[in-house]
Each structure stands twice: as C-alpha cells, then as structure tokens.
Amino acid sequence: MTNTQRSVTRTAPHLGTRALNRATLARQLLLRPARMSAAGAVEHLVGLQAQNVKPPYYALAARLDGFAPQDLSRLMADREAVRIVTMRSTLHTHTAADCLALRPLTQPATDRELANFRKGLIGVDLDRLDRLARDLVEDEPRTMKQLREALLREWPDADPQALAVAARCRLPLVQVTPRGLWGRSGQVSLTTAERWLGRPAGEPATPDAVVLRYLAAFGPASVRDMQTWAGLTRLDEAFERLRPRLLTFRDDRGTELFDLPDAPRPDPDTPAPPRFLPEFDNLLLSHADRTRVVPAEHRGRSWQGNIAYCTLLVDGFLAGLWRLEQDALVIEPFEELGAARREEVTAEGERMLRTMHPGTAYDIRFGTVRR
C-alpha cells in the first residue's frame, strides 16, 4: 500500500462491528428469508461449504423463503449443482457453471495441499498420474480406495494415500450422485467435472470477477478477508485494479475494507432474527477477522479438534450451538437468554424444523448454558 493509499484509508468512512455484521448478514441472506431459488442462492453465495452432505441443505433453509430440501437435491440429481473441492481446498457445493469456472482459479490452494504429501510422491511423474487418473475416473466413477489401488500398481513404492490425494488435487473431480442427495446415501465416487457435466471447462473465472462476487456475498471486506475465503494469495493486485470501481472503508482496527457501491449496508440497529446454521457454514469461515460474526469471547467455540458444531446466531452473532437428537432440537446457548430471546429462538427453530423435517415431531429443548 502506498503512502497515498494509507492516507486515504485513515480518512475513509468508519464501519464498526455491528455495521459490518448487518452488512454481511444482508449479503448472506440472513437478515430475512430471501425469495430466491436454490440455484440462485448457491450462485449468489459463490458456493456452500459441503464437508458433510447435510450442511448445504441447512444453510439454504436458514436463508431462503419457501425452501425445501428437494430443491437442492433436484439440482444435484439433474447435474445442475455438484460437490467439488474449491475454496480453501475444501469441498463445496457449486452450480455447474461455477464448478467449471472456479476450480481452475483455486488450483493454487490444492497445489499447496498436495505439497504436504510430496514425500510420498518421490519418483512419481505427476503429469502421467493426471492422465492415468483421468482415464480411470472417466471410464467409470471411482472411489478413493479404487484410485489408490490402481495408481499403486503403477508406482508401488509411493504412498497410497498421497497418490489418491494427488489425483484429487490435480484434477477437477466431482462427487457423483447419489452422494449428496437429500435422504439418500452413497459412498464417495469421483469423476471429472467435464465428464459428469457433459461439457468442457471453458474459460476460468478471473480474479477480478471473483473479487466482485465475493464482496457481493461477504463484503465489506479486506484483501486478507478474501484471501482467507479463497485460500489464495496476492489478490491485492486484483483489488488495486478494481479500486476505482469500489468504495473503501476502515474498521475498528483501521484495516482498509472494500465494497461495491450499490451493495446493502443496513443500519447497525437493524433487527437480526436468530438463525440455525450448519457446521462449517461459510459465514463463520470467510474472513480473516471474524469478529463481525464471532465475538472475541466465543472464538474457537464452534469446533473442537476436527469436529465442527452446528451454530446458533442471536442478534446476528454466534451465541450457541445446536443439534438434532432422535426426538428433540437441543439448543446450548453460550449465555443465559431472556424470555423474549428464547421465544425468538424457539420460533426460528420451529421454522427450521418445518422446512427440513416436515411432519416429524421434535421437542425444542434448551440445554445447559455453555460457559
């Protein structure tokens, strides 16, 4: 950043934590349920984190008016949406068009993941591995176990896991259905995006275009925020190219934030109803500074080790955890909730249950406060 840019940042309008919170919730369709199709929402949000099968469905239930799980499941069955590794080298549900355009852009993130396995790939010709793995999965979808076994025959001295990871990192592999369909089960089987979708990849998305989409879904945001979301580096160059088209702000720490001129920035006192979010929701993962959603005192409380919990928002901020048991929705707030807040949380819980589990009776229970 030049001295002139630093001076501009110091004089840029200030956005406090609540202002950032409300702006982000508005972009994330979490201030009020949006009248938008499932495909439109997946596109607007630039994908949904999908480490497990159910989270994308619960993510849309929290955001859309009139959503039914079958809406997303139908997109998956019709190959209009797919599950593929993209942002942060993690599994996401994307529209078919975004799958083809975004996967090449995020290749550096998967390359870094593959670098962790380089010791197991000594002597492996990765270009040849690409060709062999592509032939295998395009002949018929393969599990990771099947990929390991087939590639190990070619490189018997290599680490089997590293061989399969190399195929997943270097090729645009999608999980084929029935994996990912609502109410269905199926092991993870992989083929290339081009084979599954029946068309070539075409032109990859440009960094500039994705910056604009990121700000529309997660802004206002800093360069580091977007780099955290995407798992990429050196995005400052794209922001600088776009600077004449963007507004700039500063947060409580003086960090420069960029935003689209016509994007919503609601009043900080705008009501934010409770929301039940799935584990790994991108709202909690897509900024370097997460205090706009996660209060400092609750940092790290939405996961333990490799296990992530479903989270509850109250007044727009992380305020507790939730889980579905056999006959109950159990809510564990981080602090005591007053009677009015409990009523709001209960009403939203009932809405979520009607959406996701119509016709199934669940009690709603408030568990022990997690201090």
Side-chain angles (χ1 to χ4, degrees):
M1 183 183 297
T2 66
N3 289 333
T4 300
Q5 290 164 353
R6 290 190 183 94
S7 176
V8 170
T9 299
R10 285 194 294 269
T11 59
H14 168 256
L15 290 176
T17 300
R18 286 186 66 86
L20 287 173
N21 175 272
R22 292 321 195 244
T24 307
L25 293 180
R27 320 289 172 89
Q28 284 285 301
L29 315 178
L30 289 167
L31 278 184
R32 59 189 59 85
R35 300 194 67 83
M36 184 183 292
S37 69
V42 174
E43 180 181 11
H44 168 73
L45 297 166
V46 204
L48 302 168
Q49 182 88 5
Q51 294 294 85
N52 298 321
V53 169
K54 293 181 180 179
Y57 292 91
Y58 282 94
L60 293 182
R63 290 168 164 89
L64 298 184
D65 182 23
F67 173 73
Q70 291 73 22
D71 298 340
L72 178 58
S73 193
R74 191 175 305 113
L75 292 176
M76 302 284 293
D78 292 344
R79 307 190 188 188
E80 296 176 26
V82 295
R83 296 161 57 83
I84 186 170
V85 170
T86 54
M87 310 305 175
R88 304 181 297 281
S89 195
T90 57
L91 195 64
H92 277 67
T93 294
H94 286 291
T95 63
D98 273 352
C99 161
L100 294 170
L102 293 173
R103 180 60 178 79
L105 181 71
T106 61
Q107 186 62 44
T110 56
D111 287 343
R112 286 198 302 276
E113 180 187 358
L114 180 57
N116 296 326
F117 294 85
R118 60 185 180 275
K119 290 183 179 179
L121 295 168
I122 294 174
V124 175
D125 181 337
L126 291 178
D127 290 336
R128 176 165 170 72
L129 182 144
D130 289 356
R131 294 191 295 271
L132 289 175
R134 181 180 287 275
D135 288 345
L136 285 165
V137 299
E138 290 190 343
D139 178 57
E140 63 176 346
R142 310 276 178 155
T143 66
M144 289 289 275
K145 179 176 182 292
Q146 290 170 330
L147 265 178
R148 286 196 302 269
E149 291 173 347
L151 295 173
L152 194 61
R153 287 195 289 271
E154 192 72 21
W155 292 283
D157 297 327
D159 176 68
Q161 182 183 5
L163 290 171
V165 168
R168 182 179 64 79
C169 287
R170 290 176 61 92
L171 295 175
L173 299 181
V174 300
Q175 294 187 0
V176 306
T177 55
R179 182 74 174 180
L181 300 184
W182 184 252
R184 299 279 300 277
S185 61
Q187 62 182 340
V188 175
S189 294
L190 305 166
T191 190
T192 61
E194 298 94 333
R195 175 55 62 91
W196 186 244
L197 298 175
R199 60 183 190 267
E203 290 296 319
T206 66
D208 295 31
V210 179
V211 165
L212 298 176
R213 293 187 62 188
Y214 171 76
L215 292 176
F218 295 95
S222 69
V223 175
R224 287 188 63 229
D225 286 330
M226 182 172 172
Q227 290 181 162
T228 296
W229 166 76
L232 301 175
T233 59
R234 301 183 65 180
L235 290 177
D236 54 318
E237 298 171 0
F239 277 86
E240 289 305 320
R241 286 192 295 270
L242 292 167
R243 183 181 287 274
R245 299 171 54 184
L246 302 175
L247 299 180
T248 57
F249 300 89
R250 57 186 173 85
D251 65 12
D252 290 339
R253 295 172 172 81
T255 302
E256 183 177 41
L257 306 175
F258 294 85
D259 205 9
L260 306 175
D262 58 352
R265 288 177 291 277
D267 187 284
D269 293 326
T270 301
R275 292 290 182 254
F276 288 82
L277 299 181
E279 66 270 30
F280 301 114
D281 194 279
N282 269 336
L283 176 70
L284 276 68
L285 300 174
S286 300
H287 299 87
D289 180 358
R290 299 176 182 176
T291 56
R292 68 178 66 199
V293 177
V294 181
E297 63 270 23
H298 299 328
R299 180 180 178 183
R301 301 190 68 181
S302 61
W303 71 85
Q304 184 174 9
N306 293 326
I307 299 175
Y309 300 116
C310 299
T311 54
L312 170 70
L313 301 184
V314 174
D315 189 31
F317 293 89
L318 176 65
L321 310 176
W322 65 275
R323 65 182 183 275
L324 276 181
E325 296 186 346
Q326 185 173 1
D327 61 349
L329 167 61
V330 179
I331 301 163
E332 296 181 333
F334 294 151
E335 300 173 358
E336 294 288 352
L337 299 177
R341 288 291 191 206
R342 289 170 71 100
E343 289 182 7
E344 293 175 352
V345 170
T346 298
E348 178 62 13
E350 291 172 343
R351 187 185 79 87
M352 182 270 287
L353 291 170
R354 286 195 302 271
T355 298
M356 299 301 297
H357 305 281
T360 303
Y362 284 97
D363 290 334
I364 297 181
R365 302 173 188 162
F366 286 85
T368 304
V369 173
R370 285 182 169 239
R371 299 293 185 184

